[in-house]
Amino acid sequence: MVHPDELAVRSLESVLSPAGFSVLRAYSGAEAAAQVRRHRPDAVILGSDLGDATGLALSRTLRGDPEVASSMPIFLVHAGPTSRQDRLEALRAGADDLWSQPLDTEEFVLRLAAAARAKLDADRARKAGLVDPTTGL
């Protein structure tokens, strides 16, 4: 979870931990990018404003990084209501989904779990040599 506000991070962690997720915390875009490269998480959850970057900018950075798996889900969480334009902008930035707060935590956890399972399947296929690293097919 990447967000500059400790309370927001702890709040989401209180929902994710009981659902079986381990949460790595980061409080800035630079810290998050370094952690993603180092730990290779199964998913990334970004706040929309990270202090030193926006969630959109970090999503673009991660999607453009050859060290980051293209199958890694990126979820953006926005502090208020979102519009169709906001959702399209998030998708164009490489995010898999844009959520507005307050979160429907049950749905959020279920969608996150589904996205993480899909990433793990893709990782297994890549590791087993079922995916051509050059073409991705």
Side-chain angles (χ1 to χ4, degrees):
M1 168 66 182
V2 185
H3 199 285
D5 179 15
E6 175 76 19
L7 184 58
V9 173
R10 285 181 186 236
S11 176
L12 194 54
E13 186 175 24
S14 73
V15 171
L16 296 175
S17 292
F21 291 98
S22 296
V23 177
L24 293 173
R25 297 178 187 183
Y27 300 98
S28 70
E31 182 184 1
Q35 279 198 27
V36 167
R37 288 182 197 104
R38 185 174 44 253
H39 296 289
R40 304 193 189 281
D42 293 326
V44 174
I45 303 167
L46 306 172
S48 56
D49 181 13
L50 306 175
D52 65 343
T54 65
L56 292 171
L58 183 54
S59 182
R60 282 187 201 96
T61 298
L62 294 174
R63 288 296 182 220
D65 188 333
E67 296 293 315
V68 176
S70 61
S71 58
M72 183 188 65
I74 298 174
F75 285 16
L76 293 175
V77 178
H78 189 68
T82 59
S83 66
R84 178 179 185 274
Q85 186 60 37
D86 293 331
R87 291 187 300 277
L88 292 174
E89 201 173 334
L91 292 169
R92 286 186 187 109
D96 294 281
D97 211 343
L98 173 65
W99 290 77
S100 61
Q101 292 182 334
L103 291 176
D104 176 333
T105 56
E106 182 178 12
E107 181 182 1
F108 185 81
V109 167
L110 291 171
R111 288 187 186 269
L112 181 61
R117 281 192 309 273
K119 182 208 179 276
L120 292 174
D121 285 345
D123 290 349
R124 275 191 225 109
R126 241 186 316 284
K127 191 173 184 174
L130 299 175
V131 176
D132 179 355
T134 305
T135 65
L137 301 174

